[in-house]
Amino acid sequence: MPRLKKLASITGIATLALLALPQANAQALKVVSTFSIISDFARNVGGDRIELTTLVGPDGDAHSYEPRPADATAIGNADVVLVNGAGFEGFLQRLVQASAGKATVVELSKGATLLRNAGDGHGSHEGHDHDHEHEHSDQKEHAKAHHHHHGDHDPHAWQSVRNAQVYVSNIANAFCAADQQACPAYQANARSYSEKLKALDKDLKAAVAQIPPQRRTIITSHDAFAYLGHEYGLRFLAPQGASTGSEASAADIGALIRQIREQKASAIFLENVSNPRLVQQIANETGMKTGGKLYSDALSAENGPAATYIDMMRHNIETIRDGTLGK
């Protein structure tokens, strides 16, 4: 009998090993993401089932990014390529062509609620309820200079948490299409992360509610926060357009400074991907004090305050709240 028990035990262990074999031998899904915020979404959905390559890392500026040969190789070897779309990655088409890869390129902003680049210089879009009838001529001239770069729509859609949930759903669908066996795991991860995003959205609204309505006009380096403003009732003005690659002329800056004074902007902020020179110039000429650094198109390094998307959104809103309240 002891010998039979021993044989049964060995057989059981061997069976368990065979059951585990497909997972152990399962090849990780090779995923390329264009920038760090998308990579954080991908990690939350894919977990340890994906092998992730990020083209533009933490604190990197995707607007001005110059691809390397290694990037083309990564895309050429990828199963899935995750991109923002809406004209955000100006380098993408050349890079995909150079890679000669056959990976599915997934535009994560598809299905999200996109705001139109109507050329008003402060995140104008269809359905926006701001009154533009009293727009000053200076503001119009400032706006005219920035009606370019990204086409019809503002690409920074992830700055709305509801849009971020669309990105996550699109990632789960892409992973399921490429790796059907692991689809239940991807879907479960996406649901779990989406619940965290719902809680985040509620917290952000509560934080903005602490800011008096008359103190909700804010200055940043470039037009990256229109979705944040639309979603949470803030108004952003910027010397640069939707791309950090745009140049603000002396006339643009002068028009913006007059606009700031007329509309009594309450705070001015630096950005992690923008040259601080313009913001410092505006701060000096208006007497405003900079209220800290916001993260727009990239996460911070791991030891920074915005190492994940959720951390970034909390940091930005809390920094805005404290800056506008003079804390």
Side-chain angles (χ1 to χ4, degrees):
M1 286 296 290
R3 187 177 176 187
L4 287 173
K5 284 183 181 179
K6 187 174 180 181
L7 284 171
S9 176
I10 291 169
T11 302
I13 291 169
T15 302
L16 287 172
L18 286 171
L19 288 172
L21 198 57
Q23 178 61 33
N25 289 342
Q27 198 167 15
L29 193 65
K30 292 182 179 178
V31 179
V32 171
S33 152
T34 49
F35 62 107
S36 57
I37 293 169
I38 289 178
S39 285
D40 187 52
F41 294 150
R43 287 188 196 97
N44 277 283
V45 176
D48 59 4
R49 294 176 181 271
I50 65 170
E51 181 183 313
L52 182 63
T53 299
T54 306
L55 302 186
V56 186
D59 288 318
D61 184 1
H63 292 293
S64 60
Y65 183 69
E66 290 294 333
R68 306 161 302 166
D71 297 336
T73 301
I75 288 179
N77 293 332
D79 299 307
V80 178
V81 178
L82 302 176
V83 310
N84 184 76
F88 181 72
E89 300 97 338
F91 60 84
L92 186 65
Q93 188 173 355
R94 305 190 309 272
L95 185 58
V96 170
Q97 288 173 348
S99 74
K102 296 181 180 178
T104 303
V105 177
V106 184
E107 289 196 18
L108 300 182
S109 60
K110 293 285 188 185
T113 301
L114 299 183
L115 308 184
R116 291 194 66 82
N117 272 332
D120 64 321
H122 50 77
S124 175
H125 52 84
E126 291 177 334
H128 203 298
D129 58 3
H130 283 309
D131 181 5
H132 296 308
E133 290 179 9
H134 303 295
E135 188 180 52
H136 296 282
S137 59
D138 285 339
Q139 184 177 340
K140 288 179 181 177
E141 288 305 311
H142 169 63
K144 206 181 293 178
H146 299 311
H147 185 33
H148 60 293
H149 297 299
H150 283 301
D152 292 339
H153 294 98
D154 181 337
H156 304 87
W158 63 85
Q159 291 287 347
S160 157
V161 174
R162 286 192 294 177
N163 279 343
Q165 289 177 289
V166 174
Y167 281 41
V168 169
S169 176
N170 287 341
I171 290 170
N173 290 339
F175 288 178
C176 281
D179 182 10
Q180 293 180 11
Q181 186 177 350
C183 185
Y186 299 136
Q187 290 175 330
N189 290 344
R191 284 193 298 270
S192 175
Y193 185 57
S194 188
E195 288 302 314
K196 293 178 183 177
L197 292 179
K198 284 181 186 176
L200 170 67
D201 188 53
K202 186 177 178 181
D203 291 346
L204 299 185
K205 287 175 179 172
V208 172
Q210 298 172 40
I211 306 172
Q214 68 273 19
R215 298 194 63 81
R216 294 186 185 182
T217 298
I218 295 150
I219 315 303
T220 58
S221 299
H222 85 292
D223 277 338
F225 295 101
Y227 291 89
L228 195 69
H230 177 239
E231 201 72 31
Y232 302 106
L234 300 166
R235 179 177 173 83
F236 289 89
L237 305 174
Q240 289 177 296
S243 168
T244 57
S246 65
E247 290 292 333
S249 69
D252 295 333
I253 296 168
L256 180 61
I257 288 170
R258 287 190 290 274
Q259 190 181 352
I260 288 167
R261 287 171 176 155
E262 288 166 356
Q263 298 183 12
K264 296 180 174 60
S266 60
I268 186 167
F269 297 93
L270 303 170
E271 282 181 54
N272 68 320
V273 299
S274 295
N275 189 322
R277 180 183 56 82
L278 274 176
V279 166
Q280 293 290 3
Q281 180 184 345
I282 293 166
N284 292 340
E285 294 195 30
T286 59
M288 298 177 76
K289 183 180 178 182
T290 56
K293 182 190 289 184
L294 304 181
Y295 291 79
S296 54
D297 299 354
L299 301 178
S300 70
E302 284 188 22
N303 60 351
T308 69
Y309 174 78
I310 289 176
D311 288 343
M312 179 188 80
M313 297 298 283
R314 287 192 193 281
H315 168 84
N316 284 348
I317 288 293
E318 289 170 3
T319 299
I320 288 167
R321 178 197 61 196
D322 294 348
T324 56
L325 297 178
K327 292 184 179 181

